Amino acid sequence: MNHFIKVLPLLAGMLSDAIIGDPYELPHPVRLMGRFIGWLDQKLLGRCPGASLRDVKGAKGEVKEGDRELADRDRKKELRYGVWMVVLVAGVSTILPAVLLYIMYQINLWAGVAAESICCCYLLAARCLQKESTKVYRALQEGNLEQARTAVSMIVGRDTDVLDAEGVAKAAVETVAESTCDGVTAPLFYMAFGGAVGGFFYKAVNTMDSMIGYRNVRYVYFGRAAARLDDVLNYLPSRLTALLMVVAAYVTGMDGAGAWRIWRRDRRKHKSPNSAQTEAACAGALNVCLAGDGVYGGKLLHKEIIGDGIRPVEAEDIPRANQLMYASAGEMLIVSVLVRLAVIWLM
């Protein structure tokens, strides 16, 4: 009976996130991770001679190791400090919740289940992603392009002031498709094996990658360890999520055959080994084109187009993408519960 009780945090966490989402007014562990990462960024990178400490928010233009801007940099030191960043952030973000949950489970089984359920809820971002993307959808429905651009700028890294209505809708759909993995299904995947502690480990690495995992002047060396580890951790979840999204397309009445075909054809059309997996499945399910060129930090970056573009992206594709996200998350929850039961039984 205890085995089944210990699976409750996954179910309660997913249900709580779907209904309530993240309470913005309360402290959030992922935001605390972000502050810790930002503090270590300044402390560690500040010890590296020649490293640029200027504000590079949005500046994602890539550099190569032979570029003049990197000539005076201590490559080995920045790489080493980047590894220390990963060890410190992942270690602290995993050990603290592990100790807390151990104490709660020692007090009482139900106290432990309640604490772990809250942790699982915090690690999932389905409701938050839906809410933020729906703000974009509503602004587009009202014909307020400026408001839509502002809303989508909260969830994407590209320059949004150059986007038309179709571009705004496309950016929102892409974010929902890609974030289905790192915001919802990948945390569930790691919670299946390690409970909330496994989810915190994944979230720590993923948050580091989102903050320092760029090949720009500042992070080309320092952020490499975080970026590579994030690629490794997302390798299986991204592919499993894409397959679940194909199934979800059939379940929700979208183009399941198209999702399967475009995923098989376009899943490698991204410099990241994982990012195009769910985007390709979503593009096929909706019969639209995603990705393509975008402006980041004032610079035009060329990207391959994903999908056939049978029709243009429209505002209604935003709730459709959210529907795919929730259906895929539900499927992953079933898989995760079964895996979690097997792990607990084997232990």
Side-chain angles (χ1 to χ4, degrees):
M1 182 64 179
N2 283 358
H3 291 173
F4 291 98
I5 292 174
K6 289 184 179 179
V7 175
L8 286 178
L10 270 71
L11 296 168
M14 185 68 195
L15 183 62
S16 298
D17 177 69
I19 297 173
I20 303 171
D22 296 332
Y24 292 124
E25 65 279 3
L26 296 179
H28 196 293
V30 177
R31 287 197 289 270
L32 293 177
M33 284 181 196
R35 291 179 185 176
F36 185 42
I37 293 166
W39 180 78
L40 283 176
D41 180 359
Q42 296 294 327
K43 294 296 181 181
L44 293 177
L45 201 54
R47 294 172 177 264
C48 299
S52 172
L53 294 179
R54 61 187 173 82
D55 182 14
V56 292
K57 183 180 181 181
K60 301 180 182 179
E62 292 190 1
V63 294
K64 298 179 181 179
E65 295 190 19
D67 288 355
R68 185 179 302 175
E69 292 175 291
L70 305 179
D72 62 343
R73 302 277 284 275
D74 189 336
R75 175 178 178 273
K76 291 184 178 179
K77 189 172 185 178
E78 291 184 34
L79 288 170
R80 185 169 66 251
Y81 277 22
V83 172
W84 274 111
M85 164 75 90
V86 171
V87 171
L88 289 170
V89 174
V92 171
S93 300
T94 304
I95 292 172
L96 287 181
V99 171
L100 171 65
L101 290 175
Y102 175 79
I103 293 172
M104 296 303 291
Y105 273 111
Q106 289 300 307
I107 294 173
N108 182 275
L109 174 61
W110 290 106
V113 168
E116 192 167 10
S117 297
I118 294 171
C119 289
C120 289
C121 179
Y122 271 126
L123 291 168
L124 299 170
R127 178 65 171 168
C128 180
L129 188 59
Q130 182 199 14
K131 285 170 65 177
E132 295 302 318
S133 60
T134 299
K135 291 177 184 177
V136 182
Y137 169 69
R138 287 174 179 165
L140 289 174
Q141 287 290 90
E142 294 168 2
N144 192 331
L145 181 57
E146 287 305 314
Q147 186 177 335
R149 286 170 173 169
T150 300
V152 82
S153 71
M154 299 294 105
I155 56 174
V156 301
R158 73 194 67 181
D159 296 353
T160 59
D161 56 346
V162 298
L163 299 177
D164 58 13
E166 182 181 349
V168 169
K170 178 180 171 185
V173 169
E174 288 173 5
T175 297
V176 173
E178 186 175 351
S179 297
T180 295
C181 180
D182 55 22
V184 189
T185 56
L188 280 172
F189 179 87
Y190 285 100
M191 283 190 278
F193 293 96
V197 175
F200 273 110
F201 175 77
Y202 168 79
K203 208 64 182 178
V205 175
N206 185 248
T207 304
M208 276 188 285
D209 177 64
S210 69
M211 293 180 67
I212 67 171
Y214 302 119
R215 290 185 56 83
N216 56 26
V217 173
R218 179 169 180 164
Y219 296 125
V220 62
Y221 302 135
F222 184 68
R224 187 171 301 178
R228 293 293 181 269
L229 183 55
D230 184 72
D231 286 344
V232 171
L233 292 182
N234 274 306
Y235 189 86
L236 288 177
S238 64
R239 285 152 180 79
L240 178 56
T241 302
L243 292 174
L244 293 176
M245 194 172 282
V246 171
V247 176
Y250 282 108
V251 171
T252 57
M254 299 183 203
D255 190 351
W260 170 253
R261 180 174 57 84
I262 298 301
W263 173 71
R264 293 197 64 189
R265 190 191 73 189
D266 294 350
R267 67 185 186 273
R268 297 186 183 90
K269 288 186 175 181
H270 200 285
K271 290 183 179 180
S272 163
N274 306 315
S275 294
Q277 300 289 329
T278 50
E279 279 193 51
C282 182
L286 298 177
N287 297 136
V288 299
C289 280
L290 299 178
D293 297 347
V295 179
Y296 296 83
K299 297 180 180 179
L300 178 64
L301 294 186
H302 298 286
K303 298 181 181 181
E304 291 191 78
I305 294 174
I306 296 173
D308 284 340
I310 296 174
R311 61 174 181 80
V313 181
E314 60 185 14
E316 292 298 328
D317 288 318
I318 298 174
R320 291 179 189 129
N322 279 305
Q323 193 176 1
L324 277 176
M325 174 189 66
Y326 272 113
S328 302
E331 293 162 0
M332 181 64 88
L333 180 62
I334 294 171
V335 173
S336 298
V337 166
L338 294 175
V339 172
R340 187 69 182 145
L341 282 171
V343 170
I344 294 172
W345 182 76
L346 290 173
M347 292 174 62

